[in-house]
């Protein structure tokens, strides 16, 4: 399941719902990305995320399908915010469930790398020094590229 939403993300509630009544898994791995208060020494007051509803969800869905095909998973979920996000608020939540931990860890890591570099989301940090658009970093692309040779 993938979802793009403007409402705040509640990682604890999402994780509880994802794990509820699971008897078919041995591992659940989750990741929550938060809006930080500074980037490269510049204060961040808010993060604005722009998306193309419909299209962004289709790309996220394709990334979910790719993740499921690549790893031995029971389930996977990705929820991403768009709109204005305050410092300390969740931007993204990903969870993967598998019979064994390794697939759950790898799937969550893979899906986050793909969302970070391939999902059509545009990010802008707003702070006292003005606004600046954020592009994926060289390290983000390197993280995603490592999957070209990994399981």
């Amino acid at each position: 399941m993938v979802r793009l939403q403007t409402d705040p993300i509640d990682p604890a509630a999402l994780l509880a719902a994802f794990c509820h009544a699971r008897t078919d898994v041995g591992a659940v791995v989750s990741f929550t990305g938060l809006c930080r208060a500074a980037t490269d020494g510049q204060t961040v007051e808010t993060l604005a995320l722009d998306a193309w509803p419909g299209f962004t969800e289709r790309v996220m869905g394709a990334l979910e399908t790719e993740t499921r095909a690549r790893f031995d998973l029971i389930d996977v979920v990705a929820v991403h915010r768009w709109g204005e996000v305050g410092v300390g608020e969740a931007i993204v939540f990903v969870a993967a469930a598998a019979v064994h931990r390794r697939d759950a860890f790898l799937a969550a890591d893979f899906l986050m790398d793909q969302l970070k570099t391939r999902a059509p989301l545009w990010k802008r940090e707003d702070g006292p020094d003005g606004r600046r658009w954020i592009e994926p970093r060289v390290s983000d692309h390197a993280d995603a590229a490592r999957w070209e040779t990994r399981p």
Side-chain angles (χ1 to χ4, degrees):
M1 190 237 3
V2 297
R3 185 169 67 230
L4 184 64
Q5 66 184 50
T6 56
D7 293 330
I9 293 171
D10 182 345
L14 287 169
L15 184 58
F18 189 72
C19 291
H20 180 72
R22 290 260 185 217
T23 59
D24 54 347
V25 304
V28 171
V29 171
S30 68
F31 171 83
T32 303
L34 304 175
C35 179
R36 60 184 161 259
T39 300
D40 298 330
Q42 293 188 322
T43 300
V44 175
E45 294 172 338
T46 59
L47 177 66
L49 293 114
D50 200 2
W52 187 355
F55 177 67
T56 299
E57 287 135 325
R58 280 193 300 277
V59 172
M60 289 174 65
L63 296 174
E64 175 199 8
T65 299
E66 187 176 339
T67 303
R68 287 179 184 274
R70 190 171 189 135
F71 303 98
D72 189 11
L73 297 177
I74 303 297
D75 203 359
V76 65
V77 62
V79 179
H80 210 297
R81 283 281 300 271
W82 72 297
E84 196 168 289
V85 179
V87 170
E89 291 183 347
I91 303 165
V92 61
F93 173 84
V94 167
V99 173
H100 301 288
R101 65 183 165 85
R102 183 64 50 215
D103 279 310
F105 273 109
L106 291 171
D109 193 24
F110 173 81
L111 184 53
M112 270 311 306
D113 285 344
Q114 303 313 306
L115 287 169
K116 183 86 174 169
T117 57
R118 294 172 53 194
L121 291 155
W122 299 270
K123 300 173 187 175
R124 187 189 73 224
E125 291 178 339
D126 298 339
D129 297 325
R131 296 178 163 178
R132 64 183 190 147
W133 289 96
I134 305 301
E135 295 292 329
R137 299 171 185 265
V138 171
S139 60
D140 296 327
H141 289 291
D143 286 345
R146 69 193 163 103
W147 295 103
E148 294 171 13
T149 58
R150 286 180 108 179

